Amino acid sequence: MERDIAEVLLSQEQLQTRIRELGEILTAEYAGKNPIVVGVLKGVVIFYADMIRQIKVPCQMDFMRVSSYQGTQSTGKAVFGGKMSENIEGRHVLILEDIFDTGNSLNFLYNHLIQKNPASIKICTLLDKPSRRNPEITLKPDWVGFEVPNAFVVGYGLDYNEAYRNLPYIGILKPEVYAE
Ligand code: 5GP
Ligand code: MG
């Protein structure tokens, strides 16, 4: 696994420090709001588990699946798999996402959830790759852990064809790995 990584972009320490900082911000933001924290599976799982423990207010957990990726390429079309269990009408919704790339997936999810009349929907993404944004998408993440360059990253939940999710850090995958 390790030998397929060209460069460690974000170490475990960097990730945990930033998540604690975001935790303070989100704890203040959601005090008294009893938010529903929605994770976008599967890439978010590791970030979600660390982040939710730093949001020190009562909240509920929920998950959705939205995917637009095959290998390292965004198909540009997002599809759902899996429904939310919570009713979000009148509730504050916080979406946690691993990476905001073209923006297609979250735009799709946002437009779906907003029709259910929540009190608010905000987005916290661990990584943001603004260089890849679909110019038609105006939706922006409300909080970003780290901006990353235009490279394909894996680890800490992020996969390449379902592998590398269990790397404890975020690294850039060697291009020859996906050229194989
Ligand atoms: P978007 O719809 O914003 O283009 O894509 C968002 C999803 O694509 C992310 O949730 C993630 O699953 C996947 N994705 C985008 N960029 C990367 C990347 O650099 N590495 C990995 N592993 N997944 C990515
Ligand atoms: Mg994702």
Side-chain angles (χ1 to χ4, degrees):
M1 230 169 24
E2 312 265 338
R3 59 159 202 216
D4 297 339
I5 303 302
E7 183 193 329
V8 176
L9 200 60
L10 298 163
S11 68
Q12 297 187 59
E13 292 71 26
Q14 283 173 296
L15 291 165
Q16 293 311 320
T17 301
R18 184 66 183 132
I19 288 166
R20 276 196 298 274
E21 286 171 9
L22 287 170
E24 286 181 19
I25 296 167
L26 295 175
T27 297
E29 175 80 21
Y30 287 102
K33 292 187 178 165
N34 190 23
I36 299 178
V37 184
V38 178
V40 185
L41 294 173
K42 303 177 201 168
V44 84
V45 286
I46 315 276
F47 172 53
Y48 191 104
D50 285 346
M51 190 70 252
I52 197 101
R53 285 177 287 178
Q54 299 298 327
I55 304 175
K56 297 179 180 172
V57 298
C59 63
Q60 272 95 60
M61 296 170 49
D62 215 331
F63 297 93
M64 292 217 60
R65 279 192 81 166
V66 183
S67 58
S68 67
Y69 258 70
Q70 284 177 335
T72 63
Q73 295 304 312
S74 176
T75 59
K77 252 191 99 184
V79 286
F80 280 128
K83 263 202 185 143
M84 298 231 308
S85 45
E86 302 280 337
N87 178 5
I88 67 166
E89 190 174 348
R91 300 289 304 274
H92 293 279
V93 174
L94 171 63
I95 300 175
L96 296 185
E97 169 69 311
D98 52 356
I99 181 164
F100 201 98
D101 184 38
T102 62
N104 292 332
S105 318
L106 274 199
N107 197 52
F108 180 71
L109 178 60
Y110 185 93
N111 290 337
H112 172 77
L113 295 179
I114 202 80
Q115 290 168 26
K116 299 180 184 289
N117 297 318
S120 69
I121 306 183
K122 292 197 174 185
I123 300 168
C124 175
T125 184
L126 177 63
L127 306 178
D128 186 16
K129 225 193 255 181
S131 55
R132 293 246 317 156
R133 201 77 85 241
N134 176 347
E136 286 168 20
I137 289 177
T138 53
L139 183 71
K140 287 186 178 60
D142 297 279
W143 300 279
V144 171
F146 301 90
E147 234 180 66
V148 293
N150 187 8
F152 194 77
V153 297
V154 294
Y156 197 69
L158 290 118
D159 73 310
Y160 168 63
N161 285 345
E162 298 301 326
Y164 308 102
R165 292 194 197 273
N166 57 334
L167 277 179
Y169 53 81
I170 290 177
I172 297 178
L173 194 61
K174 287 182 181 165
E176 58 262 38
V177 174
Y178 45 89
E180 268 163 19

